[in-house]
Amino acid sequence: MVRTVAAVLLLWMAPGWGAAAVQSGGGAVTIKGGSSGAVTIRGGGKDAVAAEEEKKPAPSGPRLSAPSQGLAIAPDPPPVRSVGGSRKGGEVRYADPKTVKFPAKVGVYPWHFDVTATVFWIGEAPTARNKTPNHKSSWDQLWQVNYGGFDHPDAEFRTADFCPKGFVPRLNPFYVALPYNDCVGSSAHKPEAERVIPWFKRDFERAGRSVCKGVWVQIFYEGKYCFAQWEDCGPFTTDDWEYVFGTKPPKNANNNAAGIDVSPAVRDYLGMPSGSARVHWRFVDFHHVKEGPWAKYGVNNPFVNKDLKHARLKDAVMRRGGRTVPKTVPAPMDRKDWSPYRMR
């Protein structure tokens, strides 16, 4: 009987055979081919359906179909991206935030969609188009020295750990610049800072000490998320609070109206091109930041330096069971203009 069934299967798989019948003793086995064939066993005057392809669960791998002219392999459909993420090429891919309705959450701020991002780096020399050197930042006159060296942007001078070769960075290599500086020199804040910065009252320590430096930003690009710290001001302007904390587009018109600069580590992790790309970004309080390669380096990094104010705040939030007391994230005073940042 085993040899009979094997012979039947060989006949069925042969091109040009729509059905095959094999006589064995007093019974016959009939196989109906095609993509929805059924196997019927006739023996002793009784019919019984042994298998029906339609009732079988779908296999996990490529599907085999048996048309009347030989076999064909049908590939699986492409994976569907979801909010929780789906795997593609060994990586988790996420849905575009523009297509997903996120619940309001204290410490997670509104998205800025479709912003042109350009790449900059610590130690970057001035050019004809951008005359500002990056060996210092708006908040750190010794930025390159404190970082530990030149954050070379070329792939051949970077490690698989998203760091420059030759030294261990003493600051977080995942950094960004946004076009607003909350300070005037080292002794005062800009007059609108207290009104427009959502976390101003929570993080204020003294006049002239920035409440923006070190704040975390979440960036989305083509199915991937990244987190980085705000460490410099730009591109091209430092007073665009209507865009940074509001809903207006960037006032800068250079480089396709660039609204955020990202470091080589951010570029490499997200797979962005070296020139520019369109991204989504938003502010995120530190206790919402997921661990990743941005959690490994830097005395300015709350993941590494537990004495930083954001690390202490996260510890307090976690001890309260993950809930943020509303007073720690005050609403801006001008609610009419800044309703996206109101407490919810």
Side-chain angles (χ1 to χ4, degrees):
M1 184 62 184
V2 172
R3 286 179 292 180
T4 299
V5 173
V8 169
L9 292 176
L10 287 174
L11 286 170
W12 176 55
M13 294 171 61
W17 284 81
V22 175
Q23 186 73 29
S24 175
V29 178
T30 302
I31 297 179
K32 298 179 180 178
S35 59
S36 61
V39 178
T40 304
I41 300 176
R42 291 193 180 97
K46 295 181 179 180
D47 292 346
V49 177
E52 295 183 10
E53 292 297 325
E54 295 91 340
K55 295 183 180 180
K56 290 185 178 181
S60 58
R63 301 184 304 278
L64 292 178
S65 61
S68 59
Q69 297 294 324
L71 294 175
I73 298 178
D76 283 334
V80 178
R81 295 182 181 182
S82 62
V83 180
S86 62
R87 292 200 169 271
K88 182 178 181 181
E91 294 182 342
V92 176
R93 314 295 289 188
Y94 293 90
D96 190 318
K98 290 180 68 175
T99 67
V100 179
K101 185 177 181 180
F102 291 90
K105 185 183 298 184
V106 173
V108 178
Y109 302 88
W111 285 101
H112 295 259
F113 293 120
D114 297 318
V115 177
T116 298
T118 51
V119 182
F120 82 133
W121 52 92
I122 296 174
E124 182 180 6
T127 64
R129 298 189 64 183
N130 184 5
K131 301 183 184 301
T132 303
N134 285 327
H135 63 274
K136 62 181 180 179
S137 76
S138 295
W139 299 310
D140 187 350
Q141 296 300 299
L142 297 174
W143 198 22
Q144 183 172 345
V145 173
N146 292 331
Y147 187 68
F150 176 55
D151 195 20
H152 207 299
D154 293 350
E156 61 184 302
F157 297 102
R158 303 193 65 80
T159 70
D161 204 23
F162 308 102
C163 292
K165 290 182 179 178
F167 66 95
V168 177
R170 296 198 293 265
L171 301 175
N172 191 352
F174 286 80
Y175 53 87
V176 301
L178 291 169
Y180 181 73
N181 187 349
D182 58 327
C183 295
V184 181
S186 59
S187 59
H189 281 86
K190 290 180 177 176
E192 76 281 348
E194 181 177 359
R195 176 171 60 89
V196 302
I197 301 175
W199 55 84
F200 185 93
K201 291 182 180 178
R202 182 195 69 189
D203 289 354
F204 179 82
E205 295 179 358
R206 64 169 176 80
R209 175 170 289 182
S210 175
V211 299
C212 296
K213 184 179 186 297
V215 167
W216 287 84
V217 172
Q218 183 180 14
I219 307 161
F220 176 89
Y221 175 72
E222 292 194 351
K224 294 189 71 174
Y225 287 107
C226 177
F227 294 89
Q229 290 182 266
W230 185 4
E231 293 293 335
D232 197 11
C233 303
F236 297 104
T237 184
T238 61
D239 62 353
D240 196 359
W241 53 271
E242 296 95 338
Y243 152 66
V244 174
F245 302 111
T247 58
K248 292 186 178 181
K251 66 170 59 174
N252 166 55
N254 296 308
N255 291 353
N256 296 320
I260 184 172
D261 278 334
V262 303
S263 70
V266 173
R267 173 201 65 190
D268 295 344
Y269 180 83
L270 293 177
M272 293 170 51
S274 294
S276 65
R278 304 286 279 184
V279 305
H280 311 320
W281 72 269
R282 66 178 175 180
F283 293 117
V284 180
D285 282 353
F286 175 60
H287 64 275
H288 289 298
V289 177
K290 308 298 183 182
E291 291 204 30
W294 44 83
K296 295 182 178 181
Y297 301 100
V299 295
N300 65 327
N301 191 337
F303 282 106
V304 178
N305 186 352
K306 303 300 182 183
D307 293 329
L308 294 175
K309 60 185 177 183
H310 290 165
R312 297 196 303 269
L313 177 60
K314 177 180 178 179
D315 181 66
V317 170
M318 294 300 103
R319 282 190 278 107
R320 290 195 295 266
R323 299 187 305 276
T324 304
V325 176
K327 287 184 179 180
T328 63
V329 187
M333 295 171 64
D334 191 344
R335 295 193 171 191
K336 181 178 179 181
D337 291 339
W338 306 109
S339 57
Y341 284 88
R342 284 186 305 183
M343 284 295 304
R344 292 174 171 84

